[in-house]
Amino acid sequence: MSEQKQPKVRFSGFDDAWEPRKLGNVAIIKGRLGWKSLKQDEYTTNKEDPAMIAGRHINFGQINWNAVDHIPMWRYKESLEIALQDGDVIFSKDGSLGNPALIKALDGKATINSTMMLVRTNNTIYSDFFYQLMKGKQFKKLVYLKVSGSSIPHLFQDDMKKFVFSTPDIREQKRIGLFLGKLDNLIAANQRQLEELKTIKKLAMQKIFDQEWRFNGFTDAWEQRKLDKVAEYRNGKGHEKSISSNGKYIVVNSKFVSTNGLVKKFTNIQMEPLVKGDIAFVLSDVPNGRALARTFLISKNNKYSLNQRIAGITPKNNISSFFLSSLMNRSPYFLKFDDGVSQTNLSKKDVENFAEMYPEFFEQKKISALLKSIDNLLAANQSKSEQLKKLKKWFMQNMFM
């Protein structure tokens, strides 16, 4: 047992030292030994039948009850010793370790599959507090030791029984658990809003580019054009020998484009300048990669230099840069070149043969303004999401030891 310690941040009125506990002394710990390969007739699509939860059903601590597997009652009765109850903490014990979820307001019967484990704490440990602790550095240290020591990481019940952690009294546990839970709910709500906005944008783009939705006053037919008729194409240049941590220019490579500008490399030599209104377009990626055919719209002059395996697309005068960037970004036309086996390398001809329908310039501008407004909402929600996650991380680092 380690010596008594106190966290850096505490609620007022609490100043007692935290006490070390061994999980096996304060909790029931259970995991399933069998069921690694259920037969087809041991599953059911009946939502009224008991649920069986796996790690893949948990996202940001929330269980996707619409995606869980279901099993017939006779199968469930064979495993009543691991029937879930409110307050249970479940997590993955095989492969991708951790990923906990807290069972609350359980509506119906549920259990866990063979890759999961449950912890049911006694009345000295508040379940919300323990759930948050499972996402903290103490448990992550145990996971790291298991992952680094095995090609197929696995947490055994004995590992969990020996897990030592520190706790305050039950009153402070409740304050901490409920406070961090509220932060989790804010993060989850913001994430749902972000996903809804992405769905709205996807729907809007589909309806607009299929010409099902049009702005009032625009009735002219759209015209099909190949890219070489609406824009100029050029290739980037290799910057590998000119990378500098304090360089003046940002090197626009596939990592930069695929992360929407978050991951940066710099150079002091602008080998292939990009100017405002240019579109950077990823030409090369590994099989089934997520960078291929992504676009990045250049918003400033004298700031970026185009790397090799990235194309620079300069729209002509009657083409909106934002409109063209939206058309090209991850277009199915480009993705069909990815065979899922070998690295994909789009050629100049492949790109210039990209054919799409274009309205007249002012309708392009109207469409671009709408899509930009959705993008601004997405960016604001993404920023809020990141801030909330940083705030949660700070509290986790300072409210636990």
Side-chain angles (χ1 to χ4, degrees):
M1 296 288 188
S2 57
E3 62 180 8
Q4 293 182 340
K5 297 179 181 179
Q6 295 193 47
K8 295 178 182 178
V9 173
R10 302 185 75 171
F11 288 100
S12 62
F14 297 102
D15 53 17
D16 292 342
W18 287 34
E19 298 287 343
R21 306 285 187 96
K22 186 179 288 187
L23 186 60
N25 296 334
V26 295
I28 296 170
I29 304 162
K30 294 181 179 179
R32 188 185 299 286
L33 298 177
W35 287 24
K36 283 195 175 292
S37 55
L38 292 182
K39 297 176 182 177
Q40 189 65 36
D41 63 356
E42 292 173 331
Y43 290 102
T44 171
T45 57
N46 187 354
K47 301 296 184 182
E48 300 303 316
D49 283 338
M52 188 172 69
I53 304 168
R56 65 181 181 277
H57 303 136
I58 300 171
N59 189 30
F60 294 106
Q62 304 290 315
I63 298 171
N64 182 357
W65 291 101
N66 293 322
V68 298
D69 300 313
H70 291 269
I71 54 175
M73 183 59 69
W74 66 267
R75 224 6 170 158
Y76 175 76
K77 287 180 178 178
E78 290 182 353
S79 59
L80 286 176
E81 76 280 0
I82 49 173
L84 296 180
Q85 301 176 11
D86 287 345
D88 286 348
V89 176
I90 61 174
F91 60 95
S92 298
K93 65 181 177 66
D94 289 319
S96 180
L97 306 180
N99 190 26
L102 175 63
I103 303 298
K104 275 196 169 185
L106 185 62
D107 182 16
K109 296 177 171 59
T111 184
I112 51 177
N113 80 348
S114 59
T115 66
M116 304 289 287
M117 189 179 293
L118 76 80
V119 174
R120 185 174 297 152
T121 57
N122 64 20
N123 58 10
T124 67
I125 304 296
Y126 189 56
S127 58
D128 292 61
F129 172 85
F130 183 75
Y131 165 66
Q132 295 295 338
L133 185 139
M134 287 279 287
K135 296 192 287 185
K137 61 183 180 181
Q138 289 173 290
F139 183 67
K140 286 179 180 178
K141 183 178 180 181
L142 174 63
V143 168
Y144 174 78
L145 291 173
K146 299 298 291 187
V147 170
S148 61
S150 173
S151 58
I152 307 177
H154 179 94
L155 279 169
F156 295 94
Q157 285 178 257
D158 281 348
D159 297 322
M160 295 305 299
K161 288 178 180 178
K162 295 174 184 176
F163 175 49
V164 175
F165 59 98
S166 298
T167 69
D169 71 36
I170 194 72
R171 294 178 303 115
E172 190 173 1
Q173 289 180 42
K174 287 184 177 180
R175 292 289 298 274
I176 293 169
L178 294 175
F179 172 74
L180 295 177
K182 288 180 180 179
L183 267 180
D184 281 344
N185 290 338
L186 282 174
I187 291 169
N190 195 77
Q191 190 65 34
R192 286 193 297 271
Q193 188 172 17
L194 194 59
E195 293 306 315
E196 288 169 1
L197 283 170
K198 289 178 181 177
T199 300
I200 289 170
K201 182 181 179 183
K202 184 178 180 180
L203 174 64
M205 290 181 68
Q206 178 184 329
K207 297 294 186 182
I208 289 170
F209 293 136
D210 286 346
Q211 301 177 55
E212 292 182 45
W213 293 352
R214 297 193 71 177
F215 288 97
N216 288 335
F218 295 99
T219 58
D220 291 346
W222 291 27
E223 296 181 3
Q224 187 180 58
R225 303 177 194 173
K226 287 187 176 181
L227 187 82
D228 61 354
K229 302 300 182 184
V230 300
E232 300 293 335
Y233 173 105
R234 68 187 186 280
N235 285 312
K237 296 178 181 178
H239 288 72
E240 284 71 17
K241 296 181 179 179
S242 64
I243 298 298
S244 172
S245 59
N246 58 353
K248 179 181 178 182
Y249 305 104
I250 295 172
V251 177
V252 177
N253 55 22
S254 61
K255 183 68 74 173
F256 176 83
V257 175
S258 64
T259 61
N260 200 32
L262 293 178
V263 179
K264 300 181 180 72
K265 287 186 176 181
F266 299 89
T267 181
N268 280 312
I269 306 172
Q270 197 177 26
M271 299 177 68
E272 186 60 48
L274 287 160
V275 299
K276 183 178 180 179
D278 281 351
I279 301 164
F281 178 80
V282 179
L283 297 168
S284 178
D285 199 10
V286 297
N288 300 312
R290 300 196 174 204
L292 182 71
R294 285 205 181 276
T295 61
F296 183 85
L297 185 59
I298 303 301
S299 59
K300 291 183 179 180
N301 294 324
N302 204 35
K303 184 176 181 180
Y304 302 98
S305 191
L306 188 66
N307 199 49
Q308 62 184 354
R309 292 186 286 278
I310 309 294
I313 309 296
T314 304
K316 294 183 178 179
N317 290 335
N318 62 340
I319 298 296
S320 160
S321 294
F322 191 95
F323 184 87
L324 180 55
S325 178
S326 299
L327 278 178
M328 294 182 70
N329 188 45
R330 297 288 283 176
S331 166
Y333 165 81
F334 296 115
L335 298 184
K336 73 181 182 181
F337 288 92
D338 183 359
D339 61 9
V341 178
S342 54
Q343 178 168 308
T344 307
N345 297 287
L346 297 170
S347 68
K348 181 175 184 285
K349 182 180 178 182
D350 295 332
V351 178
E352 290 188 331
N353 279 335
F354 172 62
E356 265 296 352
M357 302 296 292
Y358 294 82
E360 54 116 332
F361 180 68
F362 289 106
E363 189 172 0
Q364 291 178 39
K365 298 287 283 184
K366 277 273 192 180
I367 292 168
S368 297
L370 172 64
L371 297 180
K372 279 180 185 177
S373 67
I374 300 175
D375 280 350
N376 290 339
L377 284 173
L378 281 166
N381 273 269
Q382 186 65 55
S383 175
K384 181 180 177 182
S385 181
E386 295 304 320
Q387 289 172 16
L388 285 170
K389 288 175 183 176
K390 287 179 181 177
L391 183 63
K392 173 73 187 297
K393 183 179 179 180
W394 186 88
F395 277 115
M396 291 290 290
Q397 290 173 340
N398 289 278
M399 296 185 86
F400 290 97
M401 293 182 293

